[in-house]
Amino acid sequence: MDSSYQNGMTAFAGGGQLRATPIINTYSRFTTVATAGDSAVLPGAGPGLDYVVKNAHATNSMNIFPAAASQGGRPGDGPNYPQGDSVNALANNAAFPLAAGKSVRFFCVAPGIWDTLPTIP
């Protein structure tokens, strides 16, 4: 794991996966989350990747999305293997909610699947 970091990040206003703020550094600290549900997106999940994200806003929660197929997530092959990555037991492309003032570690041991510490939801 490298030690790249970025402080003072802004979550994408209005939320959503495809236009969300990309998480590209190992350590990312979001200080601007203008409204609840503003968003960020992880890179495509590949074994060995590891990211720590902090929502440093005092009151607003934010959503962290896994990568869609168009953002480097799993390409899928129909109904048995859907497009896009997932986080924990959430559906592919579903947002992971991160409460104000909380941090989470995303790590990948299987292609297309992010696990977290702590394991929520």
Side-chain angles (χ1 to χ4, degrees), residues 43-99:
L49 294 177
D50 201 335
Y51 293 89
V52 175
V53 180
K54 167 82 174 183
N55 177 358
H57 194 272
T59 57
N60 290 332
S61 64
M62 64 182 288
N63 286 328
I64 301 173
F65 285 91
S70 64
Q71 297 168 307
R74 287 187 288 199
D77 69 356
N80 297 322
Y81 188 60
Q83 293 184 345
D85 291 346
S86 63
V87 177
N88 295 336
L90 297 172
N92 288 48
N93 302 308
F96 177 92
L98 184 58

Side-chain angles (χ1 to χ4, degrees), residues 27-54:
Y27 302 97
S28 298
R29 186 171 184 267
F30 286 83
T31 54
T32 303
V33 181
T35 58
D38 288 356
S39 60
V41 64
L42 292 159
L49 294 177
D50 201 335
Y51 293 89
V52 175
V53 180
K54 167 82 174 183

